[in-house]
Amino acid sequence: MYFKYFFDENLAQMSYMVGCQATGEALVVDPARDITPYLETAEAEGFNITATTETHIHADFVSGARELSKRTNAKLYLSNEGGGDWKYQYLNDVDHELLNDGDKFYIGKVRLDVMHTPGHTPESISFLLTDEGGGSEVPMGIFTGDFVFVGDVGRPDLLEKAAGEEGTSEKGAHQMFESLKKFKELPDYVQLWPGHGAGSACGKSLGAVPTSTVGYEKINNWAVKEENKDDFVKNLLDGQPEPPKYFAMMKKINKEGPDFLEDKDLEQISIDKLEDYKKEDAIILDTRPKQEFAKGHLEETINIPFNKSFANWAGWMMDYDKDIILIANEEDTYDINLILQSIGLDRAVAYVKAEEVSKQSNLETYENISPKELHEQYSNDDDYVTIDVREESEWNDGHLEDAKHIFIGTLPDRLDEIPEGKTPIVHCLSGARSAIATSVLQKNGYKDVKNLEGGFDAWVKEDMPVVEEK
């Protein structure tokens, strides 16, 4: 048997390829939208991709299952669980088989047994793999998707918080508790192959180690160890991070069927041409580091630096109904566009070289201030208001006394909560999120906005006053 896992660090997402060397057939589990790595691996290893499957309808990235089926004629194996609201709607144009709890299918001589494991989502299924071609009669591992992670389990609140399905959070938590009973019955030696690692918003405390075993999780995973249902439900629902705004769109796209990708290069344009795009209400997205953006940037641009957090914040800040113009290093434009497409933002159309911005005169800037400056010069000035853009759990653990809490992801929709006539001073934990927030505020007319350099961490290190929510 052949086995390989693929990790997308921008989404903390894992996908897998399983091949039967005896027959040359291969299966891809939970493919990302960019299917190039799977095609290249199959060609290099001499496999034909004959099947692909998903553990559930994903909320955090666009699935590549439909694309892979089109390119390779692979058969889709998809969940038939969860009720009528959780059925795939694009199956008429693909070869497919719908799966229920207890079903099994083969890739060559590799057997996959289906377990219905609801909790994260109603339709969630897991796949227990047995290498019969290698002579085994016992399972080697389990593909859990967003059911069980290393050190955690999938969050049950996304349908309610991101998709507006009222009452589903607690129901999902109860379902997760019951699903874990099945997991605990598996042999300790069974390997765990999850759908995400640390950095994913699909759980609150995912481990950074990519794989584990059932036995290890029984000993060390808080959720698997918990025996009391009420305590489990409470602990699972408490402290979950804000689900990115784009998650609701991902559910819709993956349920209805993602568009097929077009292989096209972005057009390089001059800065002068940006005015034409602004008139069409396009988003100008500056992907340079926050330090460069602060020193000088074009007006009406949003700054989301191109780093590991780019996909998350692009999903929060970008509008799916508008064209996107990038300001970026030329060599990064392909990868940036690929990441945008991975979360369904398919309307990037052009780019301006980052180096061209620094050559301009009369650029807009913003000021970074120190904790001491904030405390001594601005805290008692009625012309200013401190805006804390961290998550609620961070705010509750400690915040500046007179600060106003507006989570960064919701900031564009809550500008009316900023007291009229006051200039915002923005902070987060370290200064990264507040830099993005500062650009959003400037774009929306708060030209004198200031950013707390080093964020709340720097404030605490300077022994400045902090209050906690009771």
Side-chain angles (χ1 to χ4, degrees), residues 315-351:
W316 272 109
M317 299 298 169
M318 296 295 98
D319 191 325
Y320 280 81
D321 297 324
K322 295 181 179 180
D323 287 341
I324 300 170
I325 313 300
L326 302 177
I327 295 173
N329 294 327
E330 186 171 19
E331 62 271 20
D332 292 333
T333 55
Y334 179 84
D335 289 335
I336 292 172
N337 190 35
L338 204 63
I339 293 172
L340 291 173
Q341 290 175 333
S342 75
I343 57 171
L345 289 165
D346 294 350
R347 296 186 60 172
V349 295
Y351 73 95

Side-chain angles (χ1 to χ4, degrees), residues 134-406:
S136 180
E137 297 180 355
V138 296
M140 175 186 291
I142 183 170
F143 297 105
T144 55
D146 292 12
F147 167 40
V148 179
F149 301 121
V150 177
D152 202 3
V153 292
R155 59 190 298 180
D157 60 324
L158 287 181
L159 297 182
E160 185 162 347
K161 291 181 179 178
E165 299 283 340
E166 292 188 14
T168 55
S169 295
E170 187 163 338
K171 180 180 178 181
H174 282 273
Q175 289 177 327
M176 180 66 75
F177 186 82
E178 296 302 318
S179 293
L180 285 172
K181 292 180 181 179
K182 296 182 182 179
F183 183 81
K184 294 176 186 180
E185 292 173 358
L186 297 174
D188 287 355
Y189 57 77
V190 171
Q191 297 178 54
L192 170 67
W193 302 318
H196 291 287
S200 169
C202 289
K204 58 182 176 181
S205 56
L206 282 67
V209 177
T211 64
S212 181
T213 64
V214 170
Y216 188 85
E217 296 307 306
K218 288 178 183 177
I219 297 171
N220 294 287
N221 188 318
W222 74 270
V224 181
K225 290 193 299 180
E226 182 59 69
E227 297 291 343
N228 182 283
K229 179 183 283 191
D230 291 338
D231 290 342
F232 173 85
V233 170
K234 181 180 183 299
N235 291 331
L236 182 57
L237 292 176
D238 283 351
Q240 290 289 358
E242 292 283 345
K245 188 176 181 179
Y246 74 93
F247 275 22
M249 180 62 73
M250 292 301 93
K251 275 287 185 184
K252 181 177 185 294
I253 288 174
N254 287 324
K255 180 178 176 179
E256 296 178 355
D259 291 334
F260 298 120
L261 282 176
E262 296 181 17
D263 188 13
K264 64 176 183 179
D265 294 326
L266 301 184
E267 177 188 4
Q268 181 189 334
I269 62 172
S270 66
I271 287 180
D272 293 339
K273 197 172 180 181
L274 281 179
E275 292 303 318
D276 295 333
Y277 284 102
K278 287 181 181 179
K279 291 176 183 177
E280 298 297 324
D281 203 25
I283 299 171
I284 315 301
L285 175 57
D286 192 326
T287 65
R288 295 177 300 154
K290 63 180 183 179
Q291 297 86 349
E292 293 183 27
F293 186 86
K295 290 178 182 178
H297 54 269
L298 302 174
E299 291 189 2
E300 299 181 49
T301 57
I302 292 177
N303 179 219
I304 304 179
F306 179 43
N307 55 34
K308 290 182 180 180
S309 299
F310 177 78
N312 179 62
W313 297 121
W316 272 109
M317 299 298 169
M318 296 295 98
D319 191 325
Y320 280 81
D321 297 324
K322 295 181 179 180
D323 287 341
I324 300 170
I325 313 300
L326 302 177
I327 295 173
N329 294 327
E330 186 171 19
E331 62 271 20
D332 292 333
T333 55
Y334 179 84
D335 289 335
I336 292 172
N337 190 35
L338 204 63
I339 293 172
L340 291 173
Q341 290 175 333
S342 75
I343 57 171
L345 289 165
D346 294 350
R347 296 186 60 172
V349 295
Y351 73 95
V352 172
K353 287 184 178 180
E355 61 197 61
E356 296 301 317
V357 174
S358 60
K359 298 177 183 178
Q360 303 300 303
S361 58
N362 300 319
L363 291 173
E364 189 172 55
T365 64
Y366 67 78
E367 182 182 5
N368 289 304
I369 63 172
S370 68
K372 184 177 181 181
E373 289 174 306
L374 174 57
H375 184 60
E376 295 181 356
Q377 298 180 33
Y378 298 103
S379 292
N380 297 316
D381 191 330
D382 288 339
D383 291 332
Y384 293 87
V385 58
T386 302
I387 306 294
D388 185 334
V389 299
R390 297 176 300 159
E391 294 196 19
E392 184 176 1
S393 60
E394 297 174 286
W395 164 268
N396 291 338
D397 287 342
H399 58 83
L400 280 64
E401 183 174 9
D402 296 322
K404 183 172 182 60
H405 182 228
I406 304 178

Side-chain angles (χ1 to χ4, degrees), residues 101-143:
D101 186 59
D103 287 346
K104 65 181 177 182
F105 64 96
Y106 282 83
I107 304 301
K109 298 180 180 181
V110 178
R111 189 180 87 216
L112 292 110
D113 290 278
V114 179
M115 292 172 53
H116 182 212
T117 51
H120 176 65
T121 61
E123 80 287 355
S124 174
I125 54 178
S126 300
F127 303 103
L128 198 63
L129 181 150
T130 303
D131 181 18
E132 292 185 357
S136 180
E137 297 180 355
V138 296
M140 175 186 291
I142 183 170
F143 297 105

